[in-house]
Amino acid sequence: MSHEKFMQIALNLARRGIGNTGPNPTVGCVVVQDGVILSQGRTAKGGRPHAESIALDNINAKGASIYVTLEPCSHHGKTPPCAEKIIKAKPAEVVVACTDPDPRVNGNGIKMLRDAGIKVTTGISEKEALQINRGFFKRIKTGIPFVTLKAAISADGKFAAGQGKPVWVTGELARNYVHLLRSRADVLITGTGTILADKPQLNLRLAGLEDTSPQVIVVGKSKISLQKNWLQKTGALKAILQDLGTSGTNNVLVESGSTLANAFIKAGLVDELIIIQSPKNLGKYGQDYFAKNALDSFHLKSEQEIGIDKICIYE
Ligand code: AOF
Ligand code: ZN
């Protein structure tokens, strides 16, 4: 198999950790000996142990090829450097998808491996690796997490305000997709208005994903009753995001009513906009979700059908 094919396996491992390894990036690692996968690992929930450490435990990787989706770390952080553990394992080569922008690493991991005489190939499937950890990369660069805003609207662009429970305009497959989006977020932001109108649970109820629920942050001043693991915050949205970045949040999902959603857009804080659109019109039973011209600065990146609904992803 080619470098790309083994790297794809490592990338798929990494993908499973999106939204659940903060403050760390999610990394996948595959150890290959004579074309056979000996072992694999991915960054554990909460960020530790690191992928390479898990993959290299209890195996003999002498002469092996190690595929890793992010440059192995070189620093003594909360765990010893992965580059050191790799050097001790004496592999023949290490294949890396992308470098680690964390200033404590930033090329040093690759240098350590090369200085130890290990062949290192970089840039294999780099684009996909950058996409998987886009939240981590943005936070390291700007201090602010990557923000995805999800909106479920009717064919005529409206939402129906709840009367004590969520009114779903979209179908069941789309609802499952929303749960997947939640599982890939470290933090879910909503507004007090949504809590009061819909009484949503905002947790993960899809089989297998239950323990990937994001931390819920409710923005706004109204008095609400907070569920366990929910926090309420007030103040400027940018400052709230900066605080989240400082405390290690990589990926934020905004799932809110129209007022808060439009405020995030107006403040230029949305990196990705996911619109799930039902084929039904709400007409006089709904209200416009997006403010006039709110979507002007976004461009459509992909469009796909999901059951009876349509998912449009904008950047
Ligand atoms: C790796 N493999 O699986 C991950 C890495 O605080 P620590 O010791 O856990 O170090 C965190 C940093 O390590 C993090 O900022 C990033 O640079 C890197 N993450 N590195 O070799 C992994 N998750
Ligand atoms: Zn490491």
Side-chain angles (χ1 to χ4, degrees):
M1 271 214 297
S2 65
H3 278 347
E4 278 77 13
K5 288 200 173 143
F6 285 117
M7 190 59 87
Q8 287 300 319
I9 296 170
L11 289 166
N12 279 334
L13 287 167
R15 273 189 195 103
R16 293 183 54 191
I18 298 174
N20 293 281
T21 60
N24 284 352
T26 173
V27 179
C29 179
V30 173
V31 183
V32 177
Q33 187 81 272
D34 300 324
V36 174
I37 295 179
L38 272 190
S39 164
Q40 60 184 41
R42 68 176 167 102
T43 314
K45 195 171 162 65
R48 297 172 202 103
H50 291 184
E52 304 90 316
S53 177
I54 294 171
L56 289 172
D57 268 344
N58 307 314
I59 61 155
N60 177 2
K62 196 166 175 208
S65 300
I66 299 179
Y67 292 85
V68 59
T69 61
L70 184 76
E71 169 183 13
C73 65
S74 54
H75 66 291
H76 285 268
K78 298 224 164 100
T79 53
C82 289
E84 228 167 58
K85 189 156 177 170
I86 292 176
I87 291 167
K88 281 198 191 122
K90 298 194 168 43
E93 62 169 343
V94 176
V95 183
V96 176
C98 65
T99 53
D100 183 350
D102 186 316
R104 296 170 298 175
V105 186
N106 202 13
N108 283 325
I110 290 169
K111 183 171 183 301
M112 274 172 74
L113 298 174
R114 287 195 171 133
D115 287 351
I118 298 169
K119 179 184 167 199
V120 182
T121 307
T122 59
I124 302 295
S125 308
E126 185 175 32
K127 221 174 132 193
E128 286 162 84
L130 293 173
Q131 167 80 7
I132 289 169
N133 280 313
R134 62 190 183 176
F136 173 75
F137 291 121
K138 184 186 169 199
R139 178 174 68 79
I140 292 285
K141 224 159 83 191
T142 67
I144 292 179
F146 187 93
V147 177
T148 298
L149 190 147
K150 172 236 116 186
I153 56 174
S154 60
D156 51 356
K158 292 170 192 273
F159 70 99
Q163 272 116 30
K165 62 181 171 61
V167 177
W168 283 88
V169 284
T170 50
E172 175 152 1
L173 278 180
R175 211 172 312 174
N176 290 350
Y177 174 78
V178 170
H179 279 243
L180 186 66
L181 290 181
R182 286 180 190 168
S183 83
R184 289 179 175 168
D186 299 274
V187 164
L188 190 158
I189 293 183
T190 193
T192 48
T194 298
I195 303 300
L196 292 171
D198 286 355
K199 301 204 170 38
Q201 297 182 53
L202 299 172
N203 58 358
L204 261 288
R205 303 188 293 279
L206 270 194
L209 293 179
E210 296 92 339
D211 68 344
T212 63
S213 287
Q215 159 82 57
V216 173
I217 296 201
V218 189
V219 175
K221 290 196 183 124
S222 304
K223 197 170 153 43
I224 52 156
S225 68
L226 291 172
Q227 292 191 29
K228 209 175 92 197
N229 297 328
W230 288 17
L231 290 172
Q232 185 167 6
K233 287 191 192 280
T234 54
L237 297 177
K238 189 165 182 189
I240 292 174
L241 289 176
Q242 269 159 343
D243 283 352
L244 287 173
T246 304
S247 59
T249 299
N250 293 328
N251 303 286
V252 167
L253 177 68
V254 179
E255 239 194 289
S256 73
S258 137
T259 311
L260 186 60
N262 284 300
F264 265 98
I265 293 173
K266 199 165 172 214
L269 296 170
V270 176
D271 298 299
E272 179 185 58
L273 173 63
I274 302 186
I275 298 183
I276 307 172
Q277 197 156 24
S278 121
K280 295 176 229 164
N281 285 326
L282 276 173
K284 66 178 180 358
Y285 301 104
Q287 289 158 254
D288 287 341
Y289 189 86
F290 291 110
K292 204 163 169 251
N293 304 328
L295 303 185
D296 286 0
S297 59
F298 289 92
H299 66 271
L300 186 64
K301 210 185 106 201
S302 73
E303 205 176 3
Q304 138 192 17
E305 280 176 16
I306 183 159
I308 56 166
D309 306 306
K310 198 170 70 175
I311 303 173
C312 298
I313 301 182
Y314 298 81
E315 277 177 349

PDB file of all heavy atoms in Angstrom, residues 50-52 72-75 79-83, ligand 2:
ATOM      1  N   HIS A  50      -1.226  10.751  24.028  1.00  0.00           N
ATOM      2  CA  HIS A  50      -1.124  11.093  22.620  1.00  0.00           C
ATOM      3  C   HIS A  50      -1.198   9.828  21.762  1.00  0.00           C
ATOM      4  O   HIS A  50      -0.928   8.723  22.233  1.00  0.00           O
ATOM      5  CB  HIS A  50       0.190  11.824  22.352  1.00  0.00           C
ATOM      6  CG  HIS A  50       0.242  13.205  22.958  1.00  0.00           C
ATOM      7  ND1 HIS A  50       1.293  14.054  22.760  1.00  0.00           N
ATOM      8  CD2 HIS A  50      -0.646  13.868  23.739  1.00  0.00           C
ATOM      9  CE1 HIS A  50       1.064  15.207  23.408  1.00  0.00           C
ATOM     10  NE2 HIS A  50      -0.109  15.107  24.012  1.00  0.00           N
ATOM     11  N   ALA A  51      -1.545  10.038  20.487  1.00  0.00           N
ATOM     12  CA  ALA A  51      -1.768   8.932  19.556  1.00  0.00           C
ATOM     13  C   ALA A  51      -0.559   8.000  19.439  1.00  0.00           C
ATOM     14  O   ALA A  51      -0.684   6.766  19.519  1.00  0.00           O
ATOM     15  CB  ALA A  51      -2.094   9.508  18.186  1.00  0.00           C
ATOM     16  N   GLU A  52       0.626   8.589  19.261  1.00  0.00           N
ATOM     17  CA  GLU A  52       1.834   7.780  19.048  1.00  0.00           C
ATOM     18  C   GLU A  52       2.136   6.940  20.277  1.00  0.00           C
ATOM     19  O   GLU A  52       2.564   5.782  20.166  1.00  0.00           O
ATOM     20  CB  GLU A  52       3.048   8.686  18.772  1.00  0.00           C
ATOM     21  CG  GLU A  52       2.893   9.639  17.607  1.00  0.00           C
ATOM     22  CD  GLU A  52       2.293  10.980  18.041  1.00  0.00           C
ATOM     23  OE1 GLU A  52       1.322  11.000  18.821  1.00  0.00           O
ATOM     24  OE2 GLU A  52       2.797  12.006  17.568  1.00  0.00           O
ATOM     25  N   PRO A  72       4.969  14.603  15.450  1.00  0.00           N
ATOM     26  CA  PRO A  72       5.054  14.167  16.851  1.00  0.00           C
ATOM     27  C   PRO A  72       5.599  15.286  17.736  1.00  0.00           C
ATOM     28  O   PRO A  72       6.463  16.057  17.306  1.00  0.00           O
ATOM     29  CB  PRO A  72       6.036  12.993  16.797  1.00  0.00           C
ATOM     30  CG  PRO A  72       6.028  12.529  15.387  1.00  0.00           C
ATOM     31  CD  PRO A  72       5.768  13.752  14.551  1.00  0.00           C
ATOM     32  N   CYS A  73       5.100  15.359  18.962  1.00  0.00           N
ATOM     33  CA  CYS A  73       5.510  16.469  19.828  1.00  0.00           C
ATOM     34  C   CYS A  73       6.945  16.259  20.327  1.00  0.00           C
ATOM     35  O   CYS A  73       7.447  15.138  20.410  1.00  0.00           O
ATOM     36  CB  CYS A  73       4.543  16.644  20.984  1.00  0.00           C
ATOM     37  SG  CYS A  73       4.506  15.263  22.128  1.00  0.00           S
ATOM     38  N   SER A  74       7.588  17.381  20.655  1.00  0.00           N
ATOM     39  CA  SER A  74       9.004  17.352  21.032  1.00  0.00           C
ATOM     40  C   SER A  74       9.207  17.908  22.430  1.00  0.00           C
ATOM     41  O   SER A  74      10.317  17.982  22.920  1.00  0.00           O
ATOM     42  CB  SER A  74       9.791  18.213  20.036  1.00  0.00           C
ATOM     43  OG  SER A  74       9.204  19.504  19.980  1.00  0.00           O
ATOM     44  N   HIS A  75       8.102  18.330  23.058  1.00  0.00           N
ATOM     45  CA  HIS A  75       8.223  19.050  24.331  1.00  0.00           C
ATOM     46  C   HIS A  75       7.823  18.154  25.504  1.00  0.00           C
ATOM     47  O   HIS A  75       7.074  17.198  25.359  1.00  0.00           O
ATOM     48  CB  HIS A  75       7.311  20.277  24.303  1.00  0.00           C
ATOM     49  CG  HIS A  75       5.851  19.905  24.244  1.00  0.00           C
ATOM     50  ND1 HIS A  75       5.286  19.326  23.127  1.00  0.00           N
ATOM     51  CD2 HIS A  75       4.860  20.000  25.162  1.00  0.00           C
ATOM     52  CE1 HIS A  75       4.004  19.092  23.360  1.00  0.00           C
ATOM     53  NE2 HIS A  75       3.716  19.482  24.583  1.00  0.00           N
ATOM     54  N   THR A  79       2.779  15.194  29.126  1.00  0.00           N
ATOM     55  CA  THR A  79       3.281  13.855  28.796  1.00  0.00           C
ATOM     56  C   THR A  79       4.685  14.013  28.194  1.00  0.00           C
ATOM     57  O   THR A  79       5.004  15.078  27.679  1.00  0.00           O
ATOM     58  CB  THR A  79       2.358  13.165  27.766  1.00  0.00           C
ATOM     59  OG1 THR A  79       2.186  14.047  26.650  1.00  0.00           O
ATOM     60  CG2 THR A  79       0.986  12.861  28.348  1.00  0.00           C
ATOM     61  N   PRO A  80       5.511  12.956  28.257  1.00  0.00           N
ATOM     62  CA  PRO A  80       6.846  13.073  27.642  1.00  0.00           C
ATOM     63  C   PRO A  80       6.744  13.158  26.121  1.00  0.00           C
ATOM     64  O   PRO A  80       5.729  12.766  25.549  1.00  0.00           O
ATOM     65  CB  PRO A  80       7.560  11.786  28.073  1.00  0.00           C
ATOM     66  CG  PRO A  80       6.596  10.970  28.840  1.00  0.00           C
ATOM     67  CD  PRO A  80       5.285  11.662  28.891  1.00  0.00           C
ATOM     68  N   PRO A  81       7.787  13.675  25.448  1.00  0.00           N
ATOM     69  CA  PRO A  81       7.690  13.894  24.003  1.00  0.00           C
ATOM     70  C   PRO A  81       7.496  12.597  23.208  1.00  0.00           C
ATOM     71  O   PRO A  81       8.215  11.627  23.416  1.00  0.00           O
ATOM     72  CB  PRO A  81       9.037  14.530  23.640  1.00  0.00           C
ATOM     73  CG  PRO A  81       9.790  14.733  24.892  1.00  0.00           C
ATOM     74  CD  PRO A  81       9.068  14.093  26.016  1.00  0.00           C
ATOM     75  N   CYS A  82       6.552  12.633  22.275  1.00  0.00           N
ATOM     76  CA  CYS A  82       6.312  11.467  21.413  1.00  0.00           C
ATOM     77  C   CYS A  82       7.527  11.201  20.531  1.00  0.00           C
ATOM     78  O   CYS A  82       7.844  10.054  20.220  1.00  0.00           O
ATOM     79  CB  CYS A  82       5.087  11.688  20.543  1.00  0.00           C
ATOM     80  SG  CYS A  82       3.562  11.651  21.480  1.00  0.00           S
ATOM     81  N   ALA A  83       8.226  12.287  20.108  1.00  0.00           N
ATOM     82  CA  ALA A  83       9.389  12.082  19.235  1.00  0.00           C
ATOM     83  C   ALA A  83      10.421  11.201  19.949  1.00  0.00           C
ATOM     84  O   ALA A  83      11.039  10.322  19.336  1.00  0.00           O
ATOM     85  CB  ALA A  83       9.992  13.429  18.856  1.00  0.00           C
TER      86      ALA A  83
HETATM   87 ZN    ZN B   2       2.989  13.721  21.720  1.00  0.00          ZN
END
